[in-house]
Amino acid sequence: MSTQGEANLPVRLKEEPATETGAPSKNALKKAAKEKEKAEKAAKRLAEEEAAKVKADANDTSKHLYGPLLTSSPRLTKNFCPSLKDLEGSSESEEVTVQARVYNARVQSAKLAFLVLREQEHTIQVVIAEGGQHGISRQMVKFCGGINTESYVRVTGQVKPPKEPVHSTTISNLELHVESLYVISSAEEQLPLQVKDCLKPPSTKEEGDQDATSTDTNDPNSSLKTRLDSKVLATRAPATNAIFQLQSEICAIFSAYMISHNFTMIQPSYLAGAATEGGSGVFEVAYFDRKAYLTQSPQFFKQMAIAGDLGPVYSIGPVFRAENSNTKRHLTEFTGLDFEMPIREHYHEVLSFGEDLMLHLLHQLATNTKCQYLTTIIRNAGYPDAGTFKLPSAAKEGDAPPKATRITFAEAKTLLKESGYDIGPDPHADIDTAQEKALGELVAAKYGTDFFTVDQYPLSLRPFYTHPSPSDPSLSNSYDFFMRGQEIMSGAQRIHELPMLREMMRSKGVDPDDPGFKDYEDAFRYGCPMHGGGGLGLNRILQFWLGLNNIREATLFPRDPVRLGP
Amino acid sequence: MSTQGEANLPVRLKEEPATETGAPSKNALKKAAKEKEKAEKAAKRLAEEEAAKVKADANDTSKHLYGPLLTSSPRLTKNFCPSLKDLEGSSESEEVTVQARVYNARVQSAKLAFLVLREQEHTIQVVIAEGGQHGISRQMVKFCGGINTESYVRVTGQVKPPKEPVHSTTISNLELHVESLYVISSAEEQLPLQVKDCLKPPSTKEEGDQDATSTDTNDPNSSLKTRLDSKVLATRAPATNAIFQLQSEICAIFSAYMISHNFTMIQPSYLAGAATEGGSGVFEVAYFDRKAYLTQSPQFFKQMAIAGDLGPVYSIGPVFRAENSNTKRHLTEFTGLDFEMPIREHYHEVLSFGEDLMLHLLHQLATNTKCQYLTTIIRNAGYPDAGTFKLPSAAKEGDAPPKATRITFAEAKTLLKESGYDIGPDPHADIDTAQEKALGELVAAKYGTDFFTVDQYPLSLRPFYTHPSPSDPSLSNSYDFFMRGQEIMSGAQRIHELPMLREMMRSKGVDPDDPGFKDYEDAFRYGCPMHGGGGLGLNRILQFWLGLNNIREATLFPRDPVRLGP
């Protein structure tokens, strides 16, 4: 076994330093031997304990049909159903085996118990009845009815239609009559959170900009904080589960689009030798005897790839922001879907590419079978805005769908002004978050779309590497993309000429002679195509597609100034 | 513009703290206005300077046909050729425009100059001749012949067959007769590295385990260190460029395979609240007023996703290792292609899935048109092992390709022993890197394959979360994958039951009550399917597929204890 595969440091932690010849010391060998012995003993004891449990009740006629599963000797079973929903294809009285969670367990009488099994959004009723072909014992009925909810079990049984449809399960026209049942992994009796309390959106009682801790006992729905603390349980609820499957779909659609447009996937580094993107927003890393910094975006790497003649490039990866903001739309780590491309003649090639990419993505989310199915699960769970996203449609059938709605920054401000918003006297002053939301409503009302783009931001509002606008040097060839009036992407043409870049750095108060910029500036010192690109926020796309209240609902393992786990 | 799109901190750095009402202070507004003014002035001046340059020579009859391109007023051109190689499809005497790099420029006489343009692996000859239809001046001939190599230019001209084939370019039956030529971005005259010196593999004069700095002046090929220092230039060489395009193909093939097998892509966090994977190998991050740690793998997150009922999952992302190793196969940051899946009945489901995935990937690398093309470029550049990877083929045409070659750890040691290697008396002692390489050769000789897997490693050699083997508790349900005798993946069945997990932790000297493990242990406290998975090293797959000497050749922006840039 080599050293750079899986993280295996807990083993290596105990290693003694090697001797000078490279061989481990005698002491280390002794220690390793001891450890090995310990581990083997532990494994053996566990196997024996398990076996003992099953043998415990000698009077039990069906003791071979249930109990904890011996993980050390898996039974090979026939007709393994890969998924609960596949049971619907089974013929009546066929013997099948499934693995799923216990959603509910109850003993009806000494002779009869019921389980509800759950797998993602699918549930089915399971019947354990005394007697039958295999001679199920009362002990077994009691055992099955007493299994802790959320335990993971393997059930073999016959599929039969119930006497009357089971309305409390998603599979209502079939039930499973148990022949054997093993607990693969038992959940503890007391859980910090019931999956049943996660079926609907998080309680809004705790809302506000802070990740509040108060919960209202009258609201049956668990709070977001509780769900985030017990993420493993919360993610089992169908809607939450569907949210993260939809996230995966977004990544797949994005990647496929980039590949079909001849983009090369690059792997940027996430460690930089200098905090060139700005000191206060950057996480510092102890890097051997010096300091490194987590990159705030793949920006510089994408541009170096372009200068390195890799052509159009994209990346998917974490973005780190050391911003002490505890709002509903900020995280210290999120996933960026980034792209950068050479420009042939005009900056709008970049903007149009981005718009077409987003329209394709949104169209897929709205129409492809799996995305529709997942969105429906979420909508049915009571997320009010899931499935309501407005997209422009073709004027008449057969027409090509319209292009994205694009307005300039100046037009955006005029729209706001006409609707009575105070945009101030300075045409280059930014619009704030509330005004962006209002703009989203105005555009939706005027153009019938929840997705639009804003072009030509004032140069003063953008990073130093942004290319000025050819028609007005106070503006820039830059854009933002919006979903429901919230920004999901920023992008621009980038400066590709070193003198202009250095001039812009100076004018923004950035020192172009900072050694941390050398590698970046070299990209332009050695010749660079005109280019531009942008970075989409994966979590925000998911959040605003579904209209989720908090970006943490669209993030599997969210990180913010307060939260570092799970 | 919102705050969590592009990294725009250099702008925000200059912001004053907001006043209590949330509005920026007067001082901040003043400063912002000043900055804006400065930036606008700078942009204006640059545009004027550029324009002035073009107008400089009033006697020049073709001054409108060449010079630096005015980035502020791009000319719209017809017949834009997206790529140099597309010129081969142009009809004779057609007017076309291309953008590419100047690979070579020379003035033949006052009336004639030649350029060679390059785009990735394609080159074409360009002729600039006095007179002609557009009245090309001698000044223009001189200007074009004097362009610095590596500058990026836009050329409009007519495609014509040369008098005799041009053997020094890849396109030998066509040349481009210039009508106009603009420099989009000029490279400096003195470059730290010539692309011509990167055409072949790096000089091996510097080899050894250290990233040595010595270079031999007799070897025309630049050293790896020089190439890494000027990565942007090195990546322009066709073979190096092809290596990173091939890397992108590996990611695409991997993703497509996972998607077609119903895996959900997850985004793990790369920040952990505790250094649970082992103190010495973990990078520490200053996280507001406390400490965080860069994850060493997505291991815990993948397992939590499984416990959260997301089903089979995969991820692509950085892996961080704070190991002070300066070898040819270690980095402090590399890209992991990870997967984890529930097990139905037997651990070999995981191992077989991984083997089939790798066989599919390797088969695609060997046979799909783009991968073959890229591998050929690399082989033709003199990388001796590119394209020589042995894969088992079907016995006769029409047969299914054979399954992966799988041996047990014990069998691997027997193979080594039989060939005279000293494997020592302890059957559970690890084999070292040299023995792994020898094993690769033995397996290749015996089974005709450079890819094989080793199953059933001793439990004592694996991380605490590795499941013991059912048949022998001194072994484990774990495996390594090898390409050319070098490890590219480790994987295993993971322990899914909390008591066993805690027992194993203790036996490995890890404290199960360390609060840093709480979230991870909760995954098993609340019930968890049997599961297993593995992590492939993207850079290693690329390295060993091509037989590259150093993993840094397979990494776009490598990081090691010494290197933090570019």
Side-chain angles (χ1 to χ4, degrees):
Chain A
M1 190 176 73
S2 303
T3 54
Q4 209 158 13
E6 291 187 288
N8 61 348
L9 282 155
V11 183
R12 302 174 65 238
L13 261 181
K14 303 289 283 184
E15 276 172 20
E16 300 262 311
T19 59
E20 273 180 31
T21 60
S25 72
K26 270 193 186 169
N27 246 348
L29 285 174
K30 243 194 215 164
K31 266 199 172 177
K34 254 194 195 163
E35 265 177 33
K36 206 183 77 179
E37 204 181 306
K38 257 182 162 178
E40 287 168 14
K41 269 191 190 162
K44 214 171 163 185
R45 187 167 65 250
L46 285 161
E48 285 168 0
E49 280 172 14
E50 281 190 339
K53 278 184 219 155
V54 179
K55 288 185 193 145
D57 193 343
N59 299 321
D60 184 351
T61 56
S62 60
K63 63 179 188 288
H64 57 298
L65 299 177
Y66 71 100
L69 186 72
L70 300 186
T71 53
S72 49
S73 59
R75 288 162 178 73
L76 294 172
T77 48
K78 285 182 206 161
N79 295 332
F80 211 116
C81 240
S83 159
L84 274 196
K85 73 169 188 292
D86 294 326
L87 285 176
E88 290 180 312
S90 313
S91 357
E92 200 179 312
S93 299
E94 194 179 351
E95 187 187 285
V96 294
T97 298
V98 292
Q99 288 184 168
R101 286 202 186 275
V102 173
Y103 194 37
N104 207 0
R106 66 188 165 96
V107 175
Q108 178 92 340
S109 71
K111 303 175 180 182
L112 188 64
F114 291 101
L115 296 182
V116 173
L117 293 188
R118 189 193 69 232
E119 183 189 55
Q120 294 179 330
E121 69 274 21
H122 309 287
T123 50
I124 189 167
Q125 177 157 280
V126 170
V127 183
I128 306 103
E130 192 189 12
Q133 192 184 343
H134 294 82
I136 285 174
S137 65
R138 291 193 171 197
Q139 292 97 322
M140 180 168 166
V141 172
K142 191 182 166 193
F143 173 88
C144 294
I147 294 172
N148 292 340
T149 56
E150 295 305 314
S151 297
Y152 198 78
V153 297
R154 177 186 296 172
V155 180
T156 299
Q158 284 190 357
V159 171
K160 288 182 186 170
K163 280 171 198 159
E164 34 191 285
V166 185
H167 294 299
S168 57
T169 56
T170 62
I171 301 171
S172 57
N173 57 344
L174 286 177
E175 56 186 17
L176 189 59
H177 289 251
V178 163
E179 290 166 0
S180 71
L181 188 151
Y182 295 94
V183 176
I184 289 174
S185 171
S186 183
E188 289 184 356
E189 203 176 339
Q190 295 295 327
L191 299 175
L193 174 66
Q194 300 302 320
V195 173
K196 288 184 177 69
D197 298 338
C198 300
L199 298 182
K200 290 180 176 294
S203 160
T204 51
K205 293 282 155 51
E206 59 170 2
E207 288 312 336
D209 267 0
Q210 295 299 314
D211 194 15
T213 52
S214 70
T215 48
D216 183 324
T217 47
N218 293 325
D219 189 337
N221 299 311
S222 55
S223 73
L224 180 56
K225 184 183 180 302
T226 307
R227 295 186 192 193
L228 296 179
D229 287 343
S230 297
K231 191 79 196 200
V232 156
L233 286 166
T235 308
R236 294 178 190 170
T240 308
N241 206 285
I243 287 171
F244 294 107
Q245 288 181 56
L246 204 53
Q247 188 183 73
S248 174
E249 293 301 309
I250 294 173
C251 293
I253 296 165
F254 172 77
S255 299
Y257 193 85
M258 302 316 280
I259 290 168
S260 72
H261 287 76
N262 287 318
F263 279 64
T264 296
M265 187 182 208
I266 60 164
Q267 305 298 333
S269 173
Y270 298 91
L271 292 168
T276 44
E277 290 178 284
S280 67
V282 178
F283 288 115
E284 191 181 290
V285 180
Y287 196 79
F288 303 103
D289 52 355
R290 54 184 165 152
K291 285 174 185 171
Y293 303 89
L294 292 181
T295 56
Q296 282 187 302
S297 79
Q299 185 58 37
F300 290 3
F301 297 105
K302 287 190 301 178
Q303 291 190 260
M304 288 192 273
I306 293 271
D309 285 359
L310 284 174
V313 294
Y314 74 104
S315 68
I316 300 181
V319 172
F320 302 100
R321 300 283 164 91
E323 292 167 15
N324 204 345
S325 324
N326 289 286
T327 79
K328 289 192 227 174
R329 50 185 227 149
H330 286 85
L331 294 171
T332 52
E333 181 190 38
F334 60 93
T335 303
L337 308 178
D338 272 85
F339 73 92
E340 201 77 20
M341 56 191 269
I343 292 174
R344 285 187 212 169
E345 302 185 89
H346 197 282
Y347 143 73
H348 277 172
E349 292 163 27
V350 176
L351 178 48
S352 297
F353 176 84
E355 287 171 342
D356 291 348
L357 160 67
M358 273 308 298
L359 282 181
H360 172 80
L361 174 63
L362 295 170
H363 188 73
Q364 285 293 309
L365 286 175
T367 61
N368 102 21
T369 313
K370 186 163 180 189
C371 295
Q372 267 190 334
Y373 175 76
L374 293 169
T375 302
T376 304
I377 290 174
I378 299 160
R379 179 171 59 239
N380 290 349
Y383 287 81
D385 294 326
T388 66
F389 197 93
K390 278 197 209 96
L391 275 173
S393 54
K396 24 182 230 298
E397 212 172 308
D399 283 8
K403 286 279 177 186
T405 299
R406 183 194 299 176
I407 58 176
T408 63
F409 182 78
E411 287 165 350
K413 291 191 96 164
T414 304
L415 260 180
L416 285 167
K417 196 180 175 185
E418 285 171 358
S419 301
Y421 286 88
D422 178 15
I423 54 163
D426 180 1
H428 297 148
D430 207 352
I431 54 177
D432 62 25
T433 307
Q435 288 177 343
E436 285 179 346
K437 273 199 183 167
L439 182 64
E441 284 164 25
L442 293 169
V443 169
K446 189 168 174 182
Y447 300 99
T449 175
D450 281 326
F451 169 67
F452 65 97
T453 68
V454 177
D455 190 12
Q456 300 293 307
Y457 275 78
L459 186 64
S460 54
L461 297 178
R462 308 298 277 208
F464 66 78
Y465 46 77
T466 310
H467 204 289
S469 194
S471 49
D472 180 348
S474 75
L475 300 180
S476 63
N477 275 354
S478 68
Y479 62 84
D480 274 8
F481 282 14
F482 292 87
M483 285 172 67
R484 302 191 199 251
Q486 309 227 49
E487 185 251 314
I488 53 142
M489 157 136 113
S490 272
Q493 179 178 354
R494 329 293 186 178
I495 297 172
H496 62 279
E497 288 175 296
L498 191 58
M500 185 189 280
L501 182 69
R502 290 174 60 88
E503 188 84 38
M504 281 297 158
M505 287 166 118
R506 266 183 229 109
S507 79
K508 296 267 190 191
V510 176
D511 177 11
D513 294 315
D514 181 332
F517 284 118
K518 187 183 174 297
D519 291 325
Y520 179 60
E521 290 181 21
D522 278 352
F524 311 105
R525 215 164 253 134
Y526 311 149
C528 185
M530 291 198 288
H531 64 286
L536 290 156
L538 171 65
N539 314 70
R540 285 195 176 184
I541 295 176
L542 183 59
Q543 181 186 1
F544 302 130
W545 169 254
L546 295 170
L548 302 179
N549 184 50
N550 193 311
I551 195 161
R552 289 162 187 75
E553 293 177 68
T555 310
L556 195 50
F557 301 108
R559 296 291 179 261
D560 61 35
V562 178
R563 179 174 296 280
L564 263 173
Chain B
M1 190 178 69
S2 302
T3 52
Q4 208 158 13
E6 290 188 288
N8 60 349
L9 283 155
V11 183
R12 301 173 68 237
L13 262 182
K14 304 288 284 184
E15 275 172 21
E16 299 264 312
T19 59
E20 273 180 31
T21 60
S25 70
K26 269 193 186 168
N27 245 345
L29 284 174
K30 242 194 218 167
K31 266 199 171 177
K34 252 195 196 164
E35 265 177 35
K36 204 184 78 180
E37 205 181 303
K38 258 181 160 178
E40 286 169 15
K41 269 192 189 161
K44 215 173 164 185
R45 184 168 69 249
L46 285 162
E48 285 168 0
E49 280 172 12
E50 281 191 339
K53 277 184 219 157
V54 178
K55 286 184 195 148
D57 193 342
N59 297 323
D60 184 351
T61 56
S62 59
K63 63 179 189 287
H64 57 297
L65 299 177
Y66 71 100
L69 186 72
L70 300 186
T71 53
S72 49
S73 59
R75 288 161 177 73
L76 294 173
T77 47
K78 284 183 207 161
N79 294 334
F80 210 115
C81 241
S83 157
L84 274 196
K85 73 169 187 291
D86 294 327
L87 285 176
E88 290 181 312
S90 313
S91 354
E92 200 179 314
S93 298
E94 194 179 352
E95 187 188 284
V96 293
T97 297
V98 292
Q99 289 184 168
R101 285 201 187 278
V102 174
Y103 193 37
N104 207 359
R106 67 188 165 97
V107 176
Q108 177 92 340
S109 71
K111 304 175 178 183
L112 188 63
F114 292 100
L115 296 181
V116 174
L117 293 188
R118 189 193 71 233
E119 183 190 54
Q120 294 180 330
E121 68 274 20
H122 309 288
T123 49
I124 190 168
Q125 178 158 279
V126 171
V127 183
I128 307 102
E130 193 191 12
Q133 192 184 343
H134 295 82
I136 285 174
S137 65
R138 290 192 174 201
Q139 290 97 322
M140 179 167 169
V141 171
K142 190 181 167 194
F143 174 87
C144 292
I147 294 173
N148 292 341
T149 55
E150 295 305 313
S151 296
Y152 198 77
V153 298
R154 177 187 295 174
V155 178
T156 300
Q158 283 189 358
V159 171
K160 289 182 186 169
K163 281 174 196 155
E164 36 193 285
V166 185
H167 294 299
S168 58
T169 56
T170 62
I171 301 171
S172 57
N173 57 344
L174 286 177
E175 55 186 17
L176 190 59
H177 289 250
V178 163
E179 291 168 359
S180 71
L181 188 151
Y182 295 95
V183 176
I184 288 174
S185 170
S186 183
E188 288 184 357
E189 203 176 341
Q190 295 294 328
L191 299 176
L193 174 66
Q194 300 302 321
V195 173
K196 288 184 177 69
D197 297 339
C198 300
L199 298 182
K200 290 180 176 296
S203 161
T204 51
K205 294 282 153 53
E206 60 170 3
E207 289 310 335
D209 268 358
Q210 294 300 316
D211 195 14
T213 52
S214 71
T215 48
D216 182 325
T217 47
N218 292 327
D219 189 336
N221 299 310
S222 54
S223 73
L224 180 57
K225 184 183 179 301
T226 307
R227 296 186 191 192
L228 296 178
D229 287 343
S230 296
K231 191 78 196 199
V232 156
L233 286 166
T235 308
R236 294 178 189 170
T240 309
N241 205 285
I243 287 171
F244 294 107
Q245 288 180 55
L246 204 53
Q247 188 183 74
S248 173
E249 293 301 308
I250 295 173
C251 293
I253 296 165
F254 172 76
S255 299
Y257 193 86
M258 301 316 279
I259 290 168
S260 72
H261 286 75
N262 287 317
F263 280 65
T264 297
M265 187 182 207
I266 60 164
Q267 304 298 332
S269 172
Y270 298 90
L271 292 168
T276 45
E277 289 179 283
S280 67
V282 178
F283 288 115
E284 192 181 289
V285 180
Y287 197 79
F288 303 102
D289 53 355
R290 54 184 164 151
K291 285 175 184 171
Y293 303 88
L294 292 181
T295 56
Q296 283 187 300
S297 79
Q299 185 58 36
F300 290 3
F301 298 105
K302 287 191 300 177
Q303 291 191 260
M304 287 192 273
I306 293 273
D309 285 358
L310 283 173
V313 294
Y314 75 104
S315 68
I316 300 181
V319 171
F320 303 100
R321 299 283 164 90
E323 291 167 15
N324 204 344
S325 324
N326 289 286
T327 79
K328 289 193 230 173
R329 51 184 228 151
H330 286 85
L331 295 170
T332 52
E333 181 190 38
F334 60 93
T335 303
L337 308 178
D338 273 85
F339 72 92
E340 200 78 19
M341 58 191 269
I343 293 174
R344 283 187 212 167
E345 302 185 88
H346 197 283
Y347 142 73
H348 277 171
E349 293 164 25
V350 176
L351 178 48
S352 296
F353 176 84
E355 287 171 343
D356 291 348
L357 159 67
M358 273 308 298
L359 282 181
H360 172 80
L361 173 63
L362 294 169
H363 187 74
Q364 286 293 310
L365 286 175
T367 60
N368 102 20
T369 313
K370 185 161 180 191
C371 294
Q372 268 192 334
Y373 175 75
L374 293 169
T375 302
T376 304
I377 290 173
I378 298 160
R379 179 173 58 239
N380 289 348
Y383 286 81
D385 294 326
T388 65
F389 197 94
K390 278 196 210 95
L391 275 174
S393 55
K396 18 180 235 298
E397 213 172 308
D399 282 9
K403 286 280 177 184
T405 297
R406 183 195 299 176
I407 58 176
T408 64
F409 183 77
E411 287 165 352
K413 291 191 94 165
T414 304
L415 260 179
L416 285 166
K417 197 181 174 185
E418 285 171 359
S419 300
Y421 287 88
D422 178 14
I423 54 163
D426 179 2
H428 297 148
D430 208 351
I431 55 177
D432 61 26
T433 307
Q435 288 179 342
E436 284 179 346
K437 273 199 182 166
L439 183 64
E441 284 164 24
L442 293 170
V443 169
K446 188 168 176 182
Y447 300 100
T449 175
D450 281 325
F451 169 68
F452 65 97
T453 68
V454 176
D455 190 12
Q456 300 293 306
Y457 276 79
L459 186 63
S460 54
L461 297 177
R462 307 300 278 210
F464 65 78
Y465 46 78
T466 310
H467 204 289
S469 193
S471 50
D472 179 349
S474 75
L475 301 179
S476 63
N477 274 353
S478 68
Y479 62 83
D480 274 8
F481 282 15
F482 292 87
M483 285 172 67
R484 301 191 199 250
Q486 308 228 48
E487 186 250 314
I488 53 142
M489 156 135 114
S490 272
Q493 178 178 355
R494 329 292 186 178
I495 297 172
H496 61 278
E497 288 175 295
L498 191 57
M500 185 190 279
L501 182 68
R502 290 173 61 89
E503 189 83 39
M504 281 296 160
M505 287 166 119
R506 264 182 230 110
S507 79
K508 297 266 190 192
V510 176
D511 177 11
D513 294 315
D514 181 333
F517 285 118
K518 188 184 171 299
D519 291 324
Y520 178 60
E521 290 181 22
D522 278 352
F524 312 105
R525 216 164 251 133
Y526 311 149
C528 185
M530 290 198 291
H531 63 287
L536 289 156
L538 171 65
N539 315 69
R540 285 194 176 186
I541 295 175
L542 183 60
Q543 180 186 4
F544 302 130
W545 170 253
L546 295 170
L548 303 178
N549 184 51
N550 193 312
I551 196 161
R552 289 160 187 77
E553 294 177 66
T555 310
L556 196 50
F557 301 107
R559 296 290 180 263
D560 62 34
V562 178
R563 180 175 295 281
L564 264 172

